[in-house]
Amino acid sequence: LPDGSVTFTCNSWVAPKSVDRAKRIFFSNKCYLPSQTPKPLKQLRKEELKTLQGKNRELVDPKHARPVIGGLSHRYPRRCKTGRKPCDNDPSSEKRYGEFYVPRDEEFSKAILAALPSLPKDVGLLPVIPKLIKAVSEAQDDLLQIDPPILLNKDRFSCIRDDEFARQTLAALNPYSIQLVQEWPLKRKLDPAVYGDPNSLITWEIVEIEIRGVMSALKNKRLFMLDYHDLLLPYVNKVRELDDSSLYASRTIFFLSDNSTLRPVAIELTCQSPPRCYDATCCWLWSLAKTHAVAHDVGYHQLISHWLRTHCCMEPYIIAANRELSAMHPIYKLLHPHFRYTMEINARARQSLINAGGIIESCFWFGKYSIELSTDIYSKLWRFDREGLPADLISRGLAVEDETAEHGVRLMIPDYPFANDGLMLTINAGLIMLDEELQGWWSEVRNIGHGDKRDEPWWPVIKTQDDLISVDCVGGLRSPCSCKFGQYGYGGYFPNRSTTARIRMPVEEPTEKKLKEFYEQPEKAGDAVMVTMDLLSTHSPDEEYLGKEPEASWANDPVIYAAYERFKGKLQYLEGYELLKPISEPGVTGMGVPYS
């Protein structure tokens, strides 16, 4: 044009007229807040959003009998409608056959589809993420060749040691659950009329044998725990009624040593509290107790830290952003890379990962109660204002506010890789103006997407530009989307991070047969678990990494582009790290921070 070039980025799929006769609207790369939109574009901006919001369609659901989630009895984030037909015998549930509907622009690119492996039918897993398995095409039996997890190459017996057991609570699959012990004696919060004596079996005397000076350790903030006791206890009897299953409600206590490393001192299981002693018999009981505790932690990681917090809770934000924010909106452009492929991955997960009889139910300890359990945990624990860093760390007692410390917080455990590296990647939201699209987006997120929790007092209210900054509204979304965990390196080696412990403690049912089955059983689930961890850990060939390339519209604004360049420069410092190293090659690398 006479006054310079205008660029249109049309990364979108268009439908033929036989499917949709409506004309598509594409805007140039220049961002506008609603109040600043040029007059000729205002009506087009409204028409685009009206088209994206569409009309309500009839709901659809699965055939295996499971509770219908959403509502007061099973609170849960809302998802995209699937397009499946209702079951004949239960209109509130969907039929299992047929593809899940995913908006076309949310689907995998052709590059990813070409890279997806074809899996043998008996694996029972549709590809959830591109490509991590090397399909051996010339093999006669459809064998799968899987790269050995890095832990297996280094020391296959490290998982037996107490120090490694403790280290992996901070630096392996699930660094999100450990918390500070803030009261003593430990007590369950469940109804005593239903669950009996609330006092923990981990007593002062038991811990005193290990560390000498419980109250001093408590006062100096050196006692920590993995506490799944109250979350799992309501499910113990139900899971034990399933075939080939066992479950305890567990609580593991750690002590922070002078060298800033953790040491396990006690494990509580609902039926047995194994002694912490050093003769051969007690050592085996202690090892078996650790196996149960690890299985609970792995299951919690995959179902809650991963599926619920990273995938499921993000979907309402994606749907609301596409319905309420124009493609011209600067906040939409900021968030859009963090939503990439999430809806497609979620749809495939609902088909073959978290579905009735799927990988999660078959290979993890919660069995058919997996989604029901996740609804309970969502209802009790999920809070938007604690999703990002450092709020998550402060809520678990792992950090305290300290203006003199870097990033404004001081860690209770100095050697906490997830926290140390994650705080470096925490991004402060930029200044933006209040506008009707932003209000519409936030209202839909709170009142519809997370409607079961819309009345909670902790939801931030966005009235001024400072509200977005002070509550870290945008950062609270991006942290769960981007900064997570290295799964395959630890979870791919089944003895290290077992997903289930099918046999009860020998002191509960002391028979040789049961003990023998405990050693034989893990191998049956091991293949499917390795394939799943492998798929979930792979970077796709067209992965987009945090800060690698600027959003197209930023190039037109010198102030924004300069801020991007400064941020990219800070990321270079993290290249010396591994798990949160910003850029990675394709495949299973144990590093890299994708946008989404």
Side-chain angles (χ1 to χ4, degrees), residues 216 254 345:
S216 175
F254 300 89
I345 293 168

Side-chain angles (χ1 to χ4, degrees), residues 323-339:
R323 285 169 45 85
E324 300 290 346
L325 296 176
S326 167
M328 289 192 289
H329 201 293
I331 287 297
Y332 180 83
K333 290 184 179 294
L334 181 68
L335 292 178
H336 187 255
H338 297 280
F339 297 156

Side-chain angles (χ1 to χ4, degrees), residues 13 104 107-117 130 341 344 348:
W13 296 87
R104 191 64 186 88
E107 293 184 5
F108 288 149
S109 69
K110 289 184 177 179
I112 286 190
L113 291 173
L116 287 172
Y341 297 147
E344 168 87 348
R348 292 181 179 234

Side-chain angles (χ1 to χ4, degrees), residues 344-362:
E344 168 87 348
I345 293 168
N346 289 3
R348 292 181 179 234
R350 291 184 178 107
Q351 285 179 285
S352 58
L353 199 66
I354 64 160
N355 60 309
I359 293 291
I360 292 291
E361 287 195 1
S362 303

Side-chain angles (χ1 to χ4, degrees), residues 561-573:
Y561 191 77
Y564 160 74
E565 286 291 319
R566 290 195 299 273
F567 173 64
K568 185 175 181 180
K570 291 179 180 179
L571 290 179
Q572 300 302 316
Y573 173 76

Side-chain angles (χ1 to χ4, degrees), residues 161-193:
R161 300 196 305 266
D162 282 358
D163 60 343
E164 183 64 10
F165 169 63
R167 188 190 72 83
Q168 289 191 26
T169 64
L170 300 173
L173 265 74
N174 187 30
Y176 284 83
S177 292
I178 189 167
Q179 57 184 286
L180 181 70
V181 175
Q182 304 193 53
E183 62 177 15
W184 199 272
L186 300 173
K187 291 186 178 182
R188 72 170 65 110
K189 305 296 190 296
L190 302 174
D191 185 359

